[in-house]
Amino acid sequence: MPFAPLAHVPAPEPGEGPWPRNLTREANGEVALAGHTLTELAENGTPVYLVDKDDMVARAKAWVDAIGEGDVYYAGKSFLTPAVARWMYEEGLGIDTASEGELRTALAGRVPGERIGLHGNSKSDSTLKLALENYIGRIVVDSPGEVEQIATIASELGVVAPCLVRVTTGVHAGGHEFIATAHEDQKFGLSLATGAALEVVSEIAKNPHLKFLGLHSHIGSQILDPQGFAAAADAVIEFAGELAKRGIEVHEVDLGGGYGIQYTGEDPAPQTEVEMIAGIRSALESACDKAGIPVPRMSIEPGRSISGPSGITLYTVGATKDVMTDDGVRRYVSIDGGMSDNTRPALYGANYTALLNRESDAELVPTRVVGMHCESGDIVVKDVALPKDVTRGDLLLVAATGAYGRSMASNYNMVRKPGVLAVSDRGTAWLMRPETWEDVLGLFPEL
Ligand code: LLP
């Protein structure tokens, strides 16, 4: 039986498609990141997440340069460590946090509270207290009960809490249903359509312990078409116009994150930061013109577009086998990680691509890269063409795993979560060390 006529496209070469900017193919056929060969980097153990530091920082700076008058908050949920928070702050970004842990991580990076935002549809009193004690720059109000909750804590601390109100615009954009967030029937935000948003803004505006800064909208993730942002800007500004008539000024509009990236060679290249911002800003300006209000300060919260393409995962190949399918043979290549370090294929049907860390003249065959977990859905790369001679001990590199890889990692099957190594031409440093057996087993009480 011949190999299957299944979809199989080789990964683009370094320097193209979804790879970090400082990934290269060396003369001896090996792949290197910022001058460090993958063989060298694998000495730290595999699986390991690698971050092209200069690429990540450049992507952050590109948003800051593109927005000019406005603010960029890096969405920490995509991947956050104290050092990453610090890099972002030093490039002029604030940090968008969505939990007490993310807030503590940003503070551990010595990011001043004023440059941090706090999100969440279920914020605890202790999280809000920590935020306000650190003079947080903005709290994004997500439900009616939060007005009283935040005001009470602010008054106890003798501070005024700066608030944005997250509105549901009804714009449905983005990839998988689980990552689209602005349709009506889901848990985030306050509806423009039902008047819930208006009620909450009015309450904040008259509460002496709260300061109303403006409006927030996040329509989803992995969005490549700026039309969705433009439609959201339209809806938000129409509401800002209504608020202006009631004497409430919207100083700031945050249009959230969600800017899409390439995961495979077949994915279209996203618009540049400058193009994306220009599209959104012009929609914002014409909506303000129509509503007869001054253009509020604009802010955005990109996560994936900064951390995603600059991060890759390095695995070691274990067992391989050829499996008969209805259409022919498919090669299964098992690696030493899987859905515990990248849950996105299982959770969202996300596609990735993989590259072998050496050159090979062998025939390219339809391959599925699978993890070591006890689930058939433990797939890392569904379809890719890899040389037929891939074998145990080979190093395999998966692209664009920097966002929502380590941040969503688990200890499923009692694996140790991999570390994250920052790599540049100046050297390497752990952003997060790899977990040890003591980390995993140390959680159990002694018998
Ligand atoms: N701002 C808010 C309010 C958000 O909810 C999110 C993402 C972002 C910003 C950043 O979005 P980004 O630019 O990274 O797409 N785990 C999913 C993504 C969930 C995103 C949740 N919110 C994934 O792996 O695709």
Side-chain angles (χ1 to χ4, degrees):
M1 189 80 176
F3 269 91
L6 301 162
H8 66 294
V9 181
E13 273 296 295
E16 291 165 27
W19 297 111
R21 292 186 179 127
N22 297 303
L23 195 78
T24 51
R25 175 81 77 176
E26 303 292 279
N28 67 356
E30 259 223 75
V31 177
L33 182 58
H36 308 266
T37 65
L38 296 187
T39 309
E40 223 176 285
L41 295 171
E43 282 164 17
N44 299 296
T46 63
V48 62
Y49 300 98
L50 304 173
V51 173
D52 180 342
K53 177 182 174 182
D54 292 342
D55 189 18
M56 185 172 181
V57 167
R59 287 174 190 277
K61 185 170 185 308
W63 282 117
V64 172
D65 291 346
I67 206 163
E69 274 297 298
D71 292 295
V72 183
Y73 289 80
Y74 169 66
K77 71 197 76 182
S78 70
F79 174 61
L80 194 66
T81 72
V84 166
R86 191 77 208 157
W87 296 348
M88 296 297 126
Y89 172 64
E90 284 172 356
E91 290 305 320
L93 290 84
I95 307 293
D96 158 37
T97 65
S99 68
E100 183 164 333
E102 289 178 13
L103 173 57
R104 287 181 182 277
T105 306
L107 292 170
R110 302 192 316 280
V111 176
E114 312 89 75
R115 298 294 294 146
I116 302 177
L118 178 66
H119 269 283
N121 64 304
S122 182
K123 306 177 190 79
S124 70
D125 287 354
S126 65
T127 306
L128 288 167
K129 185 158 178 276
L130 179 72
L132 290 170
E133 280 168 352
N134 284 283
Y135 304 103
I136 192 138
R138 44 202 226 153
I139 297 175
V140 185
V141 175
D142 199 272
S143 62
E146 276 186 356
V147 177
E148 207 38 56
Q149 187 194 13
I150 299 169
T152 305
I153 298 167
S155 93
E156 279 164 15
L157 293 173
V159 298
V160 172
C163 297
L164 288 176
V165 171
R166 177 160 175 175
V167 300
T168 314
T169 55
V171 176
H172 191 111
H176 194 278
E177 186 195 345
F178 293 176
I179 55 176
T181 52
H183 49 297
E184 290 287 336
D185 190 4
Q186 48 82 37
K187 69 175 184 170
F188 293 112
L190 290 148
S191 172
L192 291 178
T194 65
L198 177 60
E199 216 165 288
V200 165
V201 171
S202 311
E203 276 181 45
I204 293 174
K206 59 181 192 238
N207 193 310
H209 305 294
L210 307 175
K211 178 173 167 51
F212 176 66
L213 298 180
L215 302 171
H216 182 283
S217 154
H218 172 77
I219 53 173
S221 273
Q222 189 52 17
I223 300 165
L224 292 159
D225 180 358
Q227 266 320 101
F229 294 103
D234 251 5
V236 169
I237 294 302
E238 195 188 320
F239 179 49
E242 279 173 42
L243 292 174
K245 287 186 200 132
R246 293 173 155 80
I248 302 174
E249 197 186 334
V250 170
H251 305 277
E252 180 178 343
V253 166
D254 189 308
L255 292 167
Y259 312 95
I261 62 167
Q262 271 182 302
Y263 281 96
T264 70
E266 292 102 278
D267 292 342
Q271 292 199 331
T272 64
E273 292 83 354
V274 167
E275 287 164 344
M276 197 50 121
I277 293 287
I280 299 173
R281 180 160 273 146
S282 89
L284 197 67
E285 284 172 356
S286 57
C288 288
D289 199 36
K290 203 161 92 199
I293 58 168
V295 183
R297 189 169 176 87
M298 172 172 150
S299 56
I300 55 166
E301 296 168 341
R304 180 192 323 258
S305 60
I306 294 172
S307 56
S310 52
I312 50 188
T313 312
L314 183 58
Y315 298 100
T316 303
V317 171
T320 62
K321 68 167 77 146
D322 293 337
V323 172
M324 192 65 74
T325 74
D326 290 345
D327 303 307
V329 175
R330 191 201 300 281
R331 162 73 46 92
Y332 275 75
V333 169
S334 302
I335 49 170
D336 54 352
M339 65 193 297
S340 53
D341 58 73
N342 187 356
T343 185
R344 301 192 69 261
L347 201 52
Y348 314 116
N351 289 321
Y352 285 85
T353 193
L355 189 71
L356 183 62
N357 180 41
R358 62 173 168 83
E359 271 174 348
S360 164
D361 295 333
E363 179 195 353
L364 292 174
V365 295
T367 303
R368 181 159 291 174
V369 180
V370 294
M372 48 63 67
H373 294 279
C374 292
E375 298 222 14
S376 54
D378 176 23
I379 294 169
V380 175
V381 181
K382 192 158 167 265
D383 291 305
V384 63
L386 284 176
K388 203 174 172 181
D389 64 353
V390 170
T391 186
R392 183 178 290 278
D394 270 333
L395 291 172
L396 210 60
L397 193 61
V398 174
T401 58
Y404 306 107
R406 183 60 181 82
S407 72
M408 293 176 82
S410 78
N411 291 108
Y412 185 39
N413 292 137
M414 293 290 171
V415 300
R416 295 167 296 178
K417 294 191 205 101
V420 188
L421 192 69
V423 182
S424 76
D425 57 11
R426 278 98 57 217
T428 64
W430 288 116
L431 289 170
M432 271 176 112
R433 65 163 172 79
E435 283 185 349
T436 62
W437 288 124
E438 289 69 40
D439 291 326
V440 177
L441 297 171
L443 294 172
F444 304 128
E446 271 184 42
L447 283 187

